[in-house]
């Protein structure tokens, strides 16, 4: 059976809105506390439909904060899993020491059994799905690894395929027959369980970053002039879009990061006495630069001198040039896209 709940604060007196909105969210989801900044205008709009074990709600609210603290967890025994799919605006979901920054199209799980906080810096709109934790069929350690991690369709695997399908199924629930709704609800829960299982097993983003950058440090990779972002993404089983986003979050691009490391490797090699017999062109080629002229320009932009000048200076400095006291990069060189030379 499909039951619907609606709530709006638009027609309430300003002094009554927070209490009414907090009561509506607590009744629809789990017990929470709501705060808003004094003097800033806001309204809340909530629609919720319950179909058996699955609840589908749409929330428009902000700016403000939604908090499920330790006191709320103790007072309200519900232990459902909530899934926030951001539709408009942004939200920050904090739980288990992690922060998920949600933008339109991204999704994150949060567990009603433990405290969480949702920060809404602006008015936003989100769809929230709520299911009993048992339906996800995950162990507690998996649930703990799942919360407040961003899921979207930019990564490889099930999420990229299933999230658009999930949206379509949820939109179809309201139009379907009673029998059709039950089938759709079961399918939605199965999709959530599949995405949750995959996400709980995914390495945390810091570990993924370390794994990618560590693998790129090898000469065989940096020295490959045909290396492209797509090659890197394929090697680590992620999408190209997700790879670019990962590097952007670290303040760089794939091309800039690779080229800076190539230049640093060439810079170090040119200072070694054992490499004195190698021409500048050979050193450039060893580190993935197909054009000696391009290498020389990039080297000068980064280190303030040509490769030849650096080799001469390094010979005069002796061991100092190889001890870490030699001039370092002035700034990361601009990145290229494909290939990464």
């Amino acid at each position: 059976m499909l039951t619907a709940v609606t709530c709006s604060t638009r027609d309430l007196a300003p002094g009554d809105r927070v209490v009414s909105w907090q009561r509506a969210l607590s009744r629809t989801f789990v017990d929470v506390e709501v705060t808003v900044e004094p003097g800033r205008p806001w309204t809340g709009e909530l629609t919720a439909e319950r179909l058996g074990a699955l609840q589908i709600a749409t929330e428009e609210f902000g700016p403000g904060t939604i908090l499920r603290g330790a006191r709320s967890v103790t007072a309200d025994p519900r232990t459902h899993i909530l899934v926030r799919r951001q539709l408009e605006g942004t939200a920050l979901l904090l739980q288990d020491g992690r922060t998920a920054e949600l933008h339109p199209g991204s999704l994150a799980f949060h567990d009603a059994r433990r405290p969480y906080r949702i920060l809404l810096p602006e008015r936003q709109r989100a769809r929230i799905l709520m299911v009993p934790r048992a339906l996800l069929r995950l162990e507690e350690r998996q649930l703990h690894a799942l919360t407040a991690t961003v899921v979207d369709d930019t990564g490889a695997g099930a999420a990229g395929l299933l999230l658009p399908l999930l949206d379509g199924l949820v939109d179809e629930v309201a139009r379907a027959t009673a029998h059709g709704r039950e089938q759709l609800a079961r399918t939605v829960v199965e999709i959530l369980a599949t995405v949750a299982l995959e996400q709980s097993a995914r390495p945390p983003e810091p570990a993924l970053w370390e794994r990618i950058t560590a693998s790129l440090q090898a000469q065989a990779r940096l020295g490959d002039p045909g290396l492209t972002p797509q090659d890197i993404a394929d090697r680590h089983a992620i999408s190209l879009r997700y790879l670019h986003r990962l590097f952007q979050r670290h303040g760089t691009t794939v091309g800039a990061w690779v080229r800076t490391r190539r230049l640093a490797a060439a810079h170090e090699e040119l200072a070694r006495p054992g490499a004195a017999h190698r021409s500048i062109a050979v050193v450039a080629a060893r580190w993935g630069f197909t054009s000696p002229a391009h290498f020389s320009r990039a080297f000068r932009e980064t280190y303030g001198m040509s490769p030849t000048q650096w080799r001469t200076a390094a010979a005069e400095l002796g061991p100092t040039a190889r001890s870490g006291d030699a001039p370092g990069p002035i700034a990361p060189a601009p990145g290229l896209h494909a290939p990464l030379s």
Side-chain angles (χ1 to χ4, degrees):
M1 178 179 179
L2 183 68
T3 58
V5 175
T6 61
C7 175
S8 175
T9 65
R10 289 187 181 276
D11 298 328
L12 297 177
D16 297 333
R17 288 180 177 177
V18 172
V19 172
S20 178
W21 184 244
Q22 178 172 300
R23 185 183 302 119
L25 292 182
S26 297
R27 183 177 64 248
T28 304
F29 304 114
V30 290
D31 188 60
V32 294
E33 300 173 36
V34 173
T35 57
V36 298
E37 294 184 29
R40 293 192 65 183
W42 69 276
T43 57
E45 305 283 339
L46 176 68
T47 61
E49 299 172 332
R50 185 178 297 277
L51 181 58
L54 173 68
Q55 177 174 276
I56 302 170
T58 302
E59 167 213 285
E60 295 185 47
F61 170 51
T65 300
I66 301 170
L67 169 67
R68 180 162 170 82
R71 184 174 59 182
S72 296
V73 171
T74 301
D76 181 356
R78 284 175 289 181
T79 60
H80 289 64
I81 301 297
L82 294 91
V83 186
R84 187 180 192 89
R85 176 74 155 159
Q86 203 64 30
L87 302 177
E88 298 175 8
T90 60
L92 295 176
L93 169 61
L94 295 80
Q95 189 171 41
D96 296 328
R98 293 182 293 268
T99 300
E101 183 175 345
L102 299 176
H103 298 278
S106 56
L107 170 154
F109 293 79
H110 45 304
D111 187 347
R113 181 175 284 181
R114 297 188 298 279
Y116 62 80
R117 184 187 301 267
I118 302 173
L119 306 180
L120 306 172
E122 59 188 348
R123 184 168 179 82
Q124 54 78 53
R125 187 165 69 96
R127 174 175 286 149
I128 298 97
L129 308 178
M130 189 168 83
V131 297
R133 64 197 303 111
L135 294 185
L136 294 186
R137 303 187 299 276
L138 295 180
E139 298 175 5
E140 285 302 313
R141 61 176 181 81
Q142 293 173 303
L143 285 170
H144 200 281
L146 173 68
T147 54
T149 60
V150 177
V151 186
D152 57 29
D153 59 6
T154 63
L161 298 173
L162 294 179
L163 291 189
L165 177 60
L166 177 67
D167 292 336
L169 290 173
V170 171
D171 290 338
E172 188 64 27
V173 167
R175 298 189 291 267
T177 63
H179 178 66
R181 290 190 194 114
E182 293 177 4
Q183 291 182 316
L184 288 171
R186 286 195 293 269
T187 303
V188 167
V189 172
E190 284 301 316
I191 289 175
L192 290 176
T194 300
V195 172
L197 177 62
E198 178 184 70
Q199 186 71 6
S200 67
R202 186 175 184 172
E205 195 165 275
L208 180 61
W209 167 259
E210 293 295 333
R211 190 175 73 193
I212 291 173
T213 53
S215 73
L216 287 173
Q217 296 283 10
Q219 181 184 342
R221 306 235 65 209
L222 286 180
D224 178 5
L227 180 66
T228 67
Q230 187 65 63
D231 295 332
I232 300 169
D234 291 345
R235 184 182 181 91
H236 295 277
I238 60 176
S239 71
L240 182 61
R241 183 178 169 192
Y242 185 74
L243 177 74
H244 285 307
R245 191 183 71 182
L246 183 63
F247 275 76
Q248 287 168 1
R249 286 180 176 174
H250 286 80
T252 187
T253 66
V254 181
W257 193 96
V258 169
R259 192 162 74 157
T260 297
R261 268 61 186 181
R262 284 173 167 168
L263 287 168
H267 179 270
E268 181 180 346
E269 181 167 343
L270 288 168
R272 293 196 206 109
H277 65 285
R278 297 180 190 140
S279 68
I280 300 298
V282 168
V283 173
R286 275 169 56 82
W287 295 107
F289 292 92
T290 57
S291 166
H294 168 64
F295 168 70
S296 294
R297 285 195 304 272
F299 194 98
R300 183 183 290 275
E301 290 172 2
T302 302
Y303 294 102
M305 63 181 73
S306 70
T308 301
Q309 290 170 327
W310 164 238
R311 172 174 268 173
T312 301
E316 294 174 353
L317 287 170
T320 303
R322 300 182 297 278
S323 67
D325 296 330
I330 295 173
L336 299 180
H337 295 288
L340 296 172
S341 61

